[in-house]
Amino acid sequence: MASLRVSNSFSILNTETKRSLLSPTTRRSRRSSSVRLTVVAETMSTDKLGIKVDKNPPESRLSQLGVRNWPKWSCPPSKFPWTYSDKETCYLLEGKVKVTPDGSNESVEIGAGDLVEFPKGMSCTWDVSVAVDKHYNFS
């Protein structure tokens, strides 16, 4: 029996796409035996410019961290500099932000559903395009 592991970026596949992911050998054997397609929901995690972003972490992870008990902070669309005196972990409930570390020409985009970790000592500019509402924790 064949098994196919599919990341969240392929979580919605039509029948033709699923068939094209199977090798010709597997496709032939599929006619004579069944194939199990296993879809694994995974958190997509990136680390760019020192900012760690977990897209849509499972509720179990948020509960483990106690995110819903952290203080909340919000702000309207705006642009401002910020320096992290301690490591901050935050979970965006709403909003869209481009964070540009000082000295970089690149930005990290974060938004609703993202669990984000900013390192202690980072200086950056926040460019908030959609009002932010987030839980946060400094450590």
Side-chain angles (χ1 to χ4, degrees), residues 10-109:
F10 294 101
S11 61
I12 300 174
L13 301 174
N14 64 30
T15 304
E16 288 303 310
T17 305
K18 288 176 190 173
R19 284 186 190 135
S20 70
L21 289 173
L22 301 174
S23 71
T25 304
T26 305
R27 280 199 305 263
R28 276 194 301 276
S29 68
R30 182 174 185 223
R31 292 180 187 116
S32 60
S33 64
S34 64
V35 173
R36 178 188 296 166
L37 177 63
T38 305
V39 177
V40 180
E42 295 180 2
T43 300
M44 192 169 103
S45 182
T46 59
D47 192 330
K48 181 179 176 186
L49 305 173
I51 301 169
K52 183 179 174 188
V53 181
D54 289 337
K55 300 267 182 203
N56 299 310
E59 187 61 39
S60 59
R61 172 105 192 275
L62 300 177
S63 294
Q64 179 185 26
L65 294 170
V67 167
R68 306 284 185 210
N69 296 319
W70 295 349
K72 284 177 81 177
W73 179 84
S74 60
C75 86
S78 53
K79 189 172 183 176
F80 56 90
W82 188 255
T83 298
Y84 292 91
S85 57
D86 291 302
K87 179 178 99 171
E88 179 186 347
T89 304
C90 64
Y91 178 70
L92 276 74
L93 300 166
E94 296 177 5
K96 187 172 181 180
V97 182
K98 277 187 182 181
V99 180
T100 307
D102 287 0
S104 178
N105 293 324
E106 294 184 66
S107 298
V108 175
E109 292 188 25

